[in-house]
Amino acid sequence: MSFGTLLEALLLGLLEGFTEFLPVSSTGHILLAGHFLGFESQGKVFEVLIQLGAILAIVTVYFGRFWQVLVTLPSSPRSRNFVIGILVAFLPAAVIGAFAHGFIKQVLFESPALICVTLILGGIVLLWVDTLKIRPRHTDPMALPPLLTLKIGFIQCLAMIPGVSRSGSTIVGGLLLGVSKPAAAEFSFFLALPTMAGAFAYDLYKNRDALSMDDGILILVGFVAAFVAALAVVRTLIAFVSRHGFTPFGWWRIAVGGIGLIALALVG
């Protein structure tokens, strides 16, 4: 394993952490970056497993909230509603992801042109959403009705197509279903925990016999980088979205997707 490969793992980990909770598709970004860098990982496991760093960033930032829910779960209807809502929202991704795992990893993850197109389309959607005058009916991410969270969970499954964005789909889905921007962003954070932890555990299990010591070192480097970068994003994203909306992310996606298509046409 060369120093260059370690540096690529570090850069991809930072990219994962910075983009995981933004509505820009972290998977799309690191798959495109890996394609142009020539970075190869066994079964695209690196790209999935380093997401654990972003998961731990969420746990770190919201530890007080999670602990409060845990200790009040037996006595608080609000805490129970929150846990039920997260689990219900997670179910569609758990079922569909397990059945479609092979197709996602072997076909969709290997299609950089598709990723560029979905980045652009997703950017257009974000620009459109910011023009809507939606009056939110739900402002508390811990009090969302289970049926509404189930709908958000199905919308989240669109992000199995790399370039769509897990956070983007859940936030936009929440907005269209009457959730305020801050509450939709925060619920997206919470939903990331079981979704990404499930993807991590399933991918690790599927590839447990194929990973080498070098793979483990690269994953560790990417994991730590993702954790540090995600901490910064999680602490600032809700305030940024409340002030500026999603337009900056929409143009970002369109720019990355357009540059990606041009680069693919020039160098493949």
Side-chain angles (χ1 to χ4, degrees), residues 2-146:
S2 67
F3 174 76
T5 304
L6 281 173
L7 182 59
E8 289 171 355
L10 175 64
L11 293 174
L12 291 174
L14 290 172
L15 185 60
E16 156 65 29
F18 279 127
T19 57
E20 177 59 50
F21 300 107
L22 303 180
V24 299
S25 180
S26 64
T27 303
H29 277 67
I30 62 176
L31 287 174
L32 280 180
H35 173 80
F36 290 115
L37 288 172
F39 183 87
E40 295 289 340
S41 69
Q42 173 65 35
K44 300 297 183 184
V45 173
F46 173 88
E47 290 82 352
V48 175
L49 297 192
I50 62 172
Q51 293 178 352
L52 182 62
I55 296 174
L56 292 185
I58 286 288
V59 174
T60 300
V61 172
Y62 286 98
F63 179 79
R65 178 88 64 91
F66 291 132
W67 180 253
Q68 182 68 20
V69 168
L70 180 63
V71 298
T72 61
L73 193 58
S75 59
S76 170
R78 184 168 180 267
S79 294
R80 288 195 295 272
N81 180 81
F82 171 69
V83 172
I84 291 171
I86 293 295
L87 293 177
V88 167
F90 166 64
L91 282 176
V95 175
I96 297 173
F99 279 104
H101 180 266
F103 177 75
I104 293 168
K105 296 295 288 292
Q106 297 166 20
V107 178
L108 299 182
F109 272 38
E110 300 291 343
S111 306
L114 171 66
I115 295 170
C116 292
V117 171
T118 54
L119 282 171
I120 293 171
L121 293 177
I124 294 172
V125 169
L126 289 181
L127 295 178
W128 168 70
V129 166
D130 252 4
T131 67
L132 301 178
K133 305 299 181 184
I134 302 174
R135 180 173 298 177
R137 302 186 302 276
H138 307 279
T139 58
D140 183 355
M142 296 186 64
L144 301 180

Side-chain angles (χ1 to χ4, degrees), residues 207-233:
N207 294 277
R208 63 192 184 282
D209 297 326
L211 295 176
S212 65
M213 180 64 72
D214 284 354
D215 292 324
I217 294 172
L218 292 176
I219 290 168
L220 178 61
V221 170
F223 160 84
V224 173
F227 171 76
V228 173
L231 271 180
V233 172

